[in-house]
């Protein structure tokens, strides 16, 4: 019998294994699953549109996120938010598990003349180790709710390592009562699956990110197809600030 657990990383890896093969969706091995997801660019997936999130645009327009500086886009997909950040004067790094998504994002960036640096891999693994902070903004549009409960430890550690003092952290995630699973954390381990993603309440987000200062937490606006921004009302949008 193997007795190989000697660190927190070993524990996290063991817990990842409980969700196999679903764990491929947040680890380095997940490239093939996400490549399949992004292979057909004509699929009616809401966030395939070449539009930035309405909350990101709004926070920038209102000065809640100061323009410029360095930004990291976690789980960037086809790059729609990374490109908008570059257009607003940010020096942008963007990371994703899928080479197919990154190829699409790269095409969009070249067409727009946006100097985004794209990184392939797991933000908590080798790709994350190659990211050099501090970042003035870390942005996550739809990555956090696909992580199992134990990987919040990795997520918070990434924020601690890479977010600058006074920097902003913003995310969109499934809203309870609208999208995703509302099971207690422990039940996911008995089921060995994430039920399509975790739904969060505002109170849960405030507890998880309690070391940060809340700036804004609201439902995302439901944007019409004619809008220049993306928005779906089944998502929360949150903006936090790291204390100086």
């Amino acid at each position: 019998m193997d007795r190989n657990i000697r660190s927190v990383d070993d524990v996290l890896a063991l817990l990842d294994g409980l969700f196999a093969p679903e764990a491929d969706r947040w680890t380095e091995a997940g490239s093939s699953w996400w490549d399949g997801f992004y292979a057909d660019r004509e699929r009616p997936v809401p966030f395939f549109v070449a539009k930035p999130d309405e909350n990101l645009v709004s926070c920038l327009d209102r000065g809640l996120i100061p323009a410029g500086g360095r930004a990291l886009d976690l789980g960037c997909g086809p790059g729609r938010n990374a490109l908008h950040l570059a257009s607003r004067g940010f020096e942008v790094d963007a990371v994703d598990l899928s080479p197919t998504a990154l190829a699409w994002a790269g095409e969009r960036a070249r067409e727009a003349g946006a100097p985004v640096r794209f990184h392939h891999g797991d933000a908590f693994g080798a790709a994350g180790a190659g990211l050099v902070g501090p970042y003035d903004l870390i942005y996550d549009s739809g990555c956090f709710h696909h992580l199992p409960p134990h990987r919040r430890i990795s997520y918070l550690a990434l924020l601690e390592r890479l977010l600058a003092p006074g920097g902003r952290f913003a995310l969109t995630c499934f809203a309870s009562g609208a999208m995703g699973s509302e099971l207690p954390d422990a039940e996911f381990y008995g089921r060995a699956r994430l039920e399509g993603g975790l739904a969060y309440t505002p109170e849960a987000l405030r507890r998880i990110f309690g070391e940060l200062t809340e700036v804004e937490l609201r439902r995302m606006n439901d944007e019409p197809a004619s809008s220049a921004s993306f928005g779906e009302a089944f998502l929360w949008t949150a903006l936090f600030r790291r204390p100086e």
Side-chain angles (χ1 to χ4, degrees):
M1 182 182 295
D2 292 337
R3 302 291 188 192
N4 295 327
I5 293 178
R6 300 183 60 194
S7 70
V8 172
D9 285 342
D10 292 337
V11 173
L12 295 175
L14 182 146
L15 293 173
D16 284 345
L18 298 180
F19 291 93
E22 196 174 24
D24 288 354
R25 301 187 192 184
W26 66 85
T27 63
E28 200 81 41
S31 294
S32 59
W33 192 93
W34 286 109
D35 279 346
F37 181 82
Y38 285 109
D40 181 2
R41 299 183 183 183
E42 302 304 317
R43 289 176 62 196
V45 176
F47 57 84
F48 277 13
V49 296
K51 303 176 181 181
D53 288 342
E54 64 84 8
N55 56 295
L56 178 60
V57 175
S58 174
C59 286
L60 285 164
D61 287 348
R62 289 180 288 150
L64 299 181
I65 299 174
R70 301 186 67 224
L72 172 62
D73 186 2
L74 294 173
C76 66
R80 56 194 182 83
N81 290 305
L83 268 64
H84 185 71
L85 289 167
S87 76
R88 300 295 291 261
F90 284 91
E91 179 185 341
V92 183
D93 287 310
V95 61
D96 201 276
L97 285 170
S98 169
T100 299
L102 291 174
W104 188 1
E107 290 175 21
R108 286 178 168 178
R110 287 189 292 274
E111 290 172 2
V116 177
R117 290 187 297 264
F118 293 105
H119 305 262
H120 169 241
D122 172 11
F124 310 125
L131 298 171
V132 179
Y135 290 98
D136 303 290
L137 171 66
I138 295 180
Y139 192 74
D140 173 353
S141 183
C143 175
F144 179 69
H145 57 230
H146 287 302
L147 298 177
H150 63 276
R151 278 295 170 182
R152 293 181 201 134
I153 295 171
S154 306
Y155 198 99
L156 292 171
L158 182 143
L159 293 180
E160 174 67 24
R161 183 170 66 87
L162 294 179
L163 186 61
R168 270 63 168 181
F169 162 63
L171 83 160
T172 70
C173 67
F174 288 158
S176 58
M179 178 72 75
S181 175
E182 299 181 43
L183 290 171
D185 283 353
E187 290 198 27
F188 291 108
Y189 296 90
R191 294 168 180 251
R193 61 181 185 271
L194 297 182
E195 308 292 344
L198 281 63
Y200 288 90
T201 65
E203 294 74 24
L205 293 174
R206 290 174 178 129
R207 283 196 302 273
I208 292 165
F209 300 109
E211 298 301 314
L212 305 175
T213 300
E214 179 183 331
V215 178
E216 181 173 89
L217 202 165
R218 63 171 175 83
R219 277 294 180 97
M220 180 178 258
N221 293 332
D222 194 1
E223 296 290 323
S226 59
S227 173
S229 301
F230 167 86
E232 294 284 354
F234 58 77
L235 297 166
W236 292 121
T237 75
L239 177 65
F240 298 92
R241 180 179 181 274
R242 185 174 184 176
E244 298 282 356

